[in-house]
Amino acid sequence: GWRFVRVRWWRLLHLTLLGTVALQAVAGRACILTLWQTALADRTASPTPLIMEWVNRMLYWPLPLWAFAGLYLIVFGYALALLWLVPPAHRTTATPR
Protein backbone atom coordinates (compact mmCIF):
# COMPACT_ATOMS: atom_id res chain seq x y z
CA GLY A 1 0.00 0.00 0.00
CA TRP A 2 3.02 2.33 -0.04
CA ARG A 3 2.64 4.60 -3.06
CA PHE A 4 6.17 5.99 -2.99
CA VAL A 5 7.71 2.60 -3.84
CA ARG A 6 6.24 2.90 -7.32
CA VAL A 7 7.44 6.45 -8.02
CA ARG A 8 9.86 6.11 -10.93
CA TRP A 9 12.16 9.07 -10.21
CA TRP A 10 12.46 8.06 -6.54
CA ARG A 11 13.43 4.48 -7.49
CA LEU A 12 15.98 5.66 -10.07
CA LEU A 13 17.50 8.13 -7.60
CA HIS A 14 17.77 5.36 -4.99
CA LEU A 15 19.43 2.98 -7.46
CA THR A 16 21.83 5.69 -8.61
CA LEU A 17 22.91 6.46 -5.05
CA LEU A 18 23.28 2.78 -4.13
CA GLY A 19 25.29 2.16 -7.27
CA THR A 20 27.55 5.13 -6.52
CA VAL A 21 28.28 3.90 -2.99
CA ALA A 22 28.92 0.35 -4.26
CA LEU A 23 31.30 1.57 -6.98
CA GLN A 24 33.16 3.78 -4.51
CA ALA A 25 33.59 0.82 -2.15
CA VAL A 26 34.81 -1.43 -4.98
CA ALA A 27 37.28 1.31 -5.95
CA GLY A 28 38.55 1.41 -2.36
CA ARG A 29 37.08 4.81 -1.51
CA ALA A 30 34.92 5.66 1.46
CA CYS A 31 31.34 6.84 0.98
CA ILE A 32 31.06 10.62 0.75
CA LEU A 33 28.71 10.64 3.77
CA THR A 34 31.37 8.83 5.82
CA LEU A 35 33.94 11.44 4.81
CA TRP A 36 31.59 14.27 5.79
CA GLN A 37 30.82 12.61 9.12
CA THR A 38 34.52 12.27 9.91
CA ALA A 39 35.18 15.90 8.97
CA LEU A 40 32.25 17.16 11.06
CA ALA A 41 33.17 15.04 14.09
CA ASP A 42 36.50 16.89 14.48
CA ARG A 43 38.49 14.02 15.94
CA THR A 44 40.84 16.45 17.74
CA ALA A 45 38.11 17.41 20.24
CA SER A 46 37.69 15.90 23.71
CA PRO A 47 37.72 12.10 24.17
CA THR A 48 34.58 10.19 23.25
CA PRO A 49 32.13 9.62 26.14
CA LEU A 50 31.73 6.00 27.23
CA ILE A 51 28.11 5.49 26.10
CA MET A 52 28.85 7.06 22.74
CA GLU A 53 31.80 4.70 22.32
CA TRP A 54 29.54 1.68 23.02
CA VAL A 55 26.96 2.86 20.50
CA ASN A 56 29.70 3.46 17.92
CA ARG A 57 31.01 -0.08 18.40
CA MET A 58 27.51 -1.49 17.85
CA LEU A 59 26.81 0.64 14.77
CA TYR A 60 30.19 0.80 13.05
CA TRP A 61 31.71 -2.60 12.40
CA PRO A 62 35.51 -2.88 12.23
CA LEU A 63 35.52 -4.84 8.98
CA PRO A 64 37.90 -4.39 6.05
CA LEU A 65 36.74 -2.29 3.11
CA TRP A 66 36.34 -5.33 0.84
CA ALA A 67 33.67 -6.71 3.21
CA PHE A 68 31.66 -3.50 2.95
CA ALA A 69 32.14 -3.45 -0.82
CA GLY A 70 30.58 -6.93 -0.97
CA LEU A 71 27.69 -5.85 1.26
CA TYR A 72 27.08 -2.76 -0.86
CA LEU A 73 27.05 -4.84 -4.04
CA ILE A 74 24.55 -7.27 -2.48
CA VAL A 75 22.26 -4.40 -1.43
CA PHE A 76 22.55 -2.85 -4.91
CA GLY A 77 21.65 -6.22 -6.48
CA TYR A 78 18.68 -6.51 -4.12
CA ALA A 79 17.47 -3.03 -5.12
CA LEU A 80 17.80 -3.99 -8.80
CA ALA A 81 15.79 -7.17 -8.15
CA LEU A 82 13.09 -5.12 -6.42
CA LEU A 83 12.95 -2.84 -9.45
CA TRP A 84 12.02 -5.91 -11.47
CA LEU A 85 9.76 -7.52 -8.83
CA VAL A 86 7.92 -4.30 -7.91
CA PRO A 87 8.13 -2.15 -11.05
CA PRO A 88 7.47 1.59 -10.91
CA ALA A 89 4.01 2.66 -11.94
CA HIS A 90 3.57 3.77 -15.53
CA ARG A 91 2.69 7.37 -16.07
CA THR A 92 -0.98 7.85 -16.69
CA THR A 93 -3.01 10.93 -17.28
CA ALA A 94 -4.54 12.34 -14.16
CA THR A 95 -8.21 11.69 -13.74
CA PRO A 96 -10.37 14.19 -11.89
CA ARG A 97 -11.76 13.02 -8.56
Side-chain angles (χ1 to χ4, degrees), residues 77-93:
Y78 177 67
L80 280 176
L82 285 177
L83 188 64
W84 178 71
L85 292 170
V86 185
H90 294 292
R91 280 196 159 162
T92 60
T93 58

Side-chain angles (χ1 to χ4, degrees), residues 16-89:
T16 301
L17 294 174
L18 283 174
T20 302
V21 170
L23 286 175
Q24 284 180 322
V26 169
R29 298 187 61 207
C31 172
I32 187 69
L33 295 177
T34 302
L35 297 175
W36 288 347
Q37 177 188 8
T38 303
L40 290 173
D42 188 21
R43 299 292 182 201
T44 60
S46 64
T48 307
L50 181 63
I51 300 299
M52 184 177 175
E53 186 66 35
W54 290 349
V55 171
N56 280 339
R57 276 192 241 147
M58 288 187 324
L59 293 178
Y60 304 108
W61 304 337
L63 297 174
L65 187 58
W66 63 264
F68 286 106
L71 288 172
Y72 295 148
L73 288 172
I74 289 169
V75 169
F76 181 64
Y78 177 67
L80 280 176
L82 285 177
L83 188 64
W84 178 71
L85 292 170
V86 185

